[in-house]
Amino acid sequence: GQSLEQPSEVTAVEGAIVQINCTYQTSGFYGLSWYQQHDGGAPTFLSYNGLDGLEETGRFSSFLSRSDSYGYLLLQELQMKDSASYFCAVRDLERSNDYKLSFGAGTTVTVRA
Amino acid sequence: DVKVTQSSRYLVKRTGEKVFLECVQDMDHENMFWYRQDPGLGLRLIYFSYDVKMKEKGDIPEGYSVSREKKERFSLILESASTNQTSMYLCASSGSIVNTIYFGEGSWLTVV
């Protein structure tokens, strides 16, 4: 099985930097992903880390340390539109040709003016 | 753009009714998923399918079944709806790169 832990909510002001941590426990591990979901909308893919290190996509970056079973999503230069829920997810390969993508409970980010 | 379409956005059903939630994707994806989303619990996997007629249980399959007769369509079935199945249901699909999955807009089901 697998479990993921992430903070339930974070509040910050416009222009600030927010880091959302995610720790995981899985029986097998094939990468950590991040998804964004605005209120009433569907989750959308943000980033993926298969190997240790930092992946940067514009204002968002994601980091993975497999030895620590830990990753984070970094939101820089926060904008009001970044107010949303953010989910970490792990791919947990149980057999050679199937898998599950399991999600954390989500972190609600509120950006204030 | 990948499109995952869930046929019903809002449904209200009575306890004991059989409920069908339909999902269609247009990208020829092998893998399809049904998740349930509840406040404070995030997204929980109900069932997934990696090929036509193939299905695997997720984390919370009890009370649900699925059907995948065609590659593009994945149906979630509640054989006898109960009030604790009131939730938002999200269908998703992915190609071979499973870490990137594409979600539909969700179906809000209320069981009364």
Side-chain angles (χ1 to χ4, degrees), chain A residues 1-2 30-35 37 40-45 47-50 85 87 89-91 94-95 97-106, chain B residues 9 30-33 35 37 40-45 48-50 56-59 88 90 94-106 108:
Chain A
Q2 60 286 316
Y30 283 83
L32 181 71
S33 304
W34 290 92
Y35 286 77
Q37 184 180 31
T44 55
F45 173 79
S47 68
Y48 165 70
N49 295 74
S85 293
F87 296 88
V90 292
R91 180 184 170 192
E94 296 191 332
R95 295 204 292 271
N97 62 351
D98 73 331
Y99 49 81
K100 296 193 293 186
L101 192 63
S102 298
F103 287 78
Chain B
R9 193 89 164 99
E30 298 91 347
N31 310 302
M32 296 190 75
F33 311 82
Y35 286 88
Q37 185 171 24
L41 296 177
L43 288 82
R44 294 180 291 167
L45 183 63
F48 64 102
S49 168
Y50 53 89
E56 291 287 339
K57 292 180 180 179
D59 298 317
M88 180 163 86
L90 286 160
S94 80
S96 55
I97 303 177
V98 177
N99 304 289
T100 307
I101 68 174
Y102 300 89
F103 285 89
E105 289 298 313
W108 291 91

Side-chain angles (χ1 to χ4, degrees), chain A residues 1 10 24 34 43 45 53 56 75 78 80-81 90 94 105-106 109:
Chain A
V10 173
Y24 59 85
W34 290 92
F45 173 79
E56 297 180 81
L75 315 179
L78 272 182
M80 298 297 288
K81 67 179 181 180
V90 292
E94 296 191 332
V109 172

Side-chain angles (χ1 to χ4, degrees), chain A residues 26-105:
Chain A
T26 63
S27 52
F29 178 76
Y30 283 83
L32 181 71
S33 304
W34 290 92
Y35 286 77
Q36 179 192 59
Q37 184 180 31
H38 286 100
D39 239 6
T44 55
F45 173 79
L46 282 179
S47 68
Y48 165 70
N49 295 74
L51 301 173
D52 291 350
L54 192 68
E55 294 285 339
E56 297 180 81
T57 312
R59 294 185 296 113
F60 295 177
S61 304
S62 58
F63 172 82
L64 175 65
S65 169
R66 288 174 295 172
S67 60
D68 296 320
S69 297
Y70 162 77
Y72 67 71
L73 180 70
L74 194 70
L75 315 179
Q76 301 180 80
E77 301 171 23
L78 272 182
Q79 301 176 8
M80 298 297 288
K81 67 179 181 180
D82 298 330
S83 291
S85 293
Y86 294 83
F87 296 88
C88 57
V90 292
R91 180 184 170 192
D92 187 356
L93 192 68
E94 296 191 332
R95 295 204 292 271
S96 61
N97 62 351
D98 73 331
Y99 49 81
K100 296 193 293 186
L101 192 63
S102 298
F103 287 78

